[in-house]
Each structure stands twice: as structure tokens, then as C-alpha cells.
């Protein structure tokens, strides 16, 4: 979403303009992974200026692309998010997440989400780093896929960045 024409090539200088629009249209902003400097932190500032909720997924201490999320949480600029339920609570959604989101049927899963589900189900419980390593999926992409599977009711996030199949 941008004020630039579809035919224009994406260039880094245009990202803040796009993110300004995205932050303004959103109820809240969830940052899964970012460095200490970067566009996601600018987008978080924009979201704050629009009075939007800013949320962040904590990452490993010392990791370059966890530093931004950890900073936002530490400085109280973002709420810590560990599950889909956290997002619903922060955004003030008056729903019972576990009851209102039906478990996605296995035959509806396909591609990488199905691989993730099958691997977690086979091991009964898996941690984030093992999943990322075994599936060769970048942490930022894996975080989004896991959150999606959790919101669909296929998996559950456990303490210590562990996941189990439901």
C-alpha cells in the first residue's frame, strides 16, 4: 500500500511513506523482528503518533535482529506479545480467543504451515530455534507463520518459545 504507482520499483526511501499509511490504517502494530536501527522502529513511532497500540515479540539477548524489539519492550514503547491471546487482549477485543477461533482442519493446511504443524506434532513440543534450523526458515518469517498457526488454533505457544500441536 503506497502513494507510489504500482509500476515503480520498491526502493528503501519509499518504505517510510508506505509504513506511515500502514500504521495509520491499522488498529495496532506488531513487530516480530528488527534491529536497533531500522524502518520498523520508525513505523512504531508513527503508530504511537497515531495513538495505535504497538506490540513486540521479544527475542534472544544479543541477537542483532532482536535488539529493536527488546528495546521497544524495555523502554515501554511496546507491549510484550507471546501469543495471539496477548494481541487480542492488548487491542481490547472482547472475544474468547480459544473458543472463537476454530481449530483449522489438517486437510486445510498446506505448504510450509503444514510442514511446521507436522514437525511440531511429530515431536509433541518444539522450540523456535530448532524449528527455524530444521525447516531452514528465517526467524522473522517463522514467527509470522507460527503466529498464524496459533491464531488458527492449530498450535499453542508455550513458555520458553516452545510450541505444541493441538
Amino acid at each position: 500500500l503506497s502513494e507510489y504507482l504500482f509500476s515503480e520499483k520498491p526502493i528503501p526511501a519509499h518504505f517510510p511513506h508506505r509504513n506511515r499509511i500502514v500504521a495509520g490504517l491499522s488498529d495496532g502494530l506488531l513487530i516480530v523482528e528488527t534491529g536497533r536501527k531500522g524502518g520498523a522502529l520508525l513505523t512504531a513511532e508513527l503508530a504511537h503518533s497515531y495513538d495505535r497500540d504497538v506490540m513486540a515479540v521479544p527475542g534472544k539477548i544479543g541477537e542483532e535482529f532482536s535488539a529493536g524489539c527488546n528495546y521497544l519492550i524495555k523502554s515501554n514503547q511496546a507491549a510484550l506479545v507471546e501469543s495471539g491471546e496477548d494481541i487480542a487482549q492488548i487491542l481490547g477485543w472482547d472475544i474468547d480467543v480459544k473458543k472463537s477461533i476454530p481449530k483449522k482442519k489438517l486437510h486445510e493446511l498446506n505448504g510450509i504451515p503444514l510442514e511446521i504443524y507436522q514437525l511440531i506434532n511429530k515431536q509433541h513440543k518444539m522450540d523456535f530455534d530448532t524449528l527455524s534450523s530444521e525447516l531452514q526458515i528465517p526467524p522473522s518469517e517463522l514467527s509470522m507463520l507460527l503466529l498464524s498457526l496459533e491464531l488458527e488454533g492449530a498450535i499453542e505457544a508455550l513458555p520458553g518459545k516452545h510450541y505444541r500441536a493441538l
Side-chain angles (χ1 to χ4, degrees), residues 139-155:
S140 59
E141 183 179 339
L142 180 59
S143 292
M144 292 181 353
L145 290 165
L146 288 168
L147 181 60
S148 176
L149 284 168
E150 185 178 353
L151 290 171
E152 292 167 351
I155 65 169

Side-chain angles (χ1 to χ4, degrees), residues 51-100:
D51 198 27
R52 302 298 192 260
D53 289 302
V54 177
M55 301 161 277
V57 175
K60 280 187 173 180
I61 295 171
E63 292 289 326
E64 179 184 355
F65 292 106
S66 296
C69 288
N70 292 343
Y71 166 77
L72 288 169
I73 294 165
K74 182 178 179 179
S75 62
N76 293 317
Q77 294 180 51
L80 185 145
V81 168
E82 297 178 304
S83 69
E85 289 177 333
D86 290 345
I87 295 170
Q89 181 181 11
I90 291 163
L91 293 176
W93 294 343
D94 188 24
I95 60 173
D96 184 350
V97 175
K98 291 191 186 285
K99 291 182 181 174
S100 66

Side-chain angles (χ1 to χ4, degrees), residues 2 5-6 25 29 31 34 49 59 61 69 74 79 87-88 94 110 114 120 132 134:
S2 169
L5 295 174
F6 183 73
L25 291 173
L29 172 69
I31 300 175
T34 186
S49 74
I61 295 171
C69 288
K74 182 178 179 179
I87 295 170
D94 188 24
N110 57 53
L114 178 60
I120 293 171
S132 182
E134 289 205 17

Side-chain angles (χ1 to χ4, degrees), residues 114-154:
L114 178 60
E115 287 181 51
I116 293 170
Y117 177 84
Q118 289 173 332
L119 189 56
I120 293 171
N121 193 42
K122 179 180 174 186
Q123 300 296 324
H124 303 292
K125 179 173 99 170
M126 288 195 76
D127 69 274
F128 183 90
D129 293 332
T130 303
L131 280 166
S132 182
S133 175
E134 289 205 17
L135 295 167
Q136 295 295 302
I137 298 174
S140 59
E141 183 179 339
L142 180 59
S143 292
M144 292 181 353
L145 290 165
L146 288 168
L147 181 60
S148 176
L149 284 168
E150 185 178 353
L151 290 171
E152 292 167 351

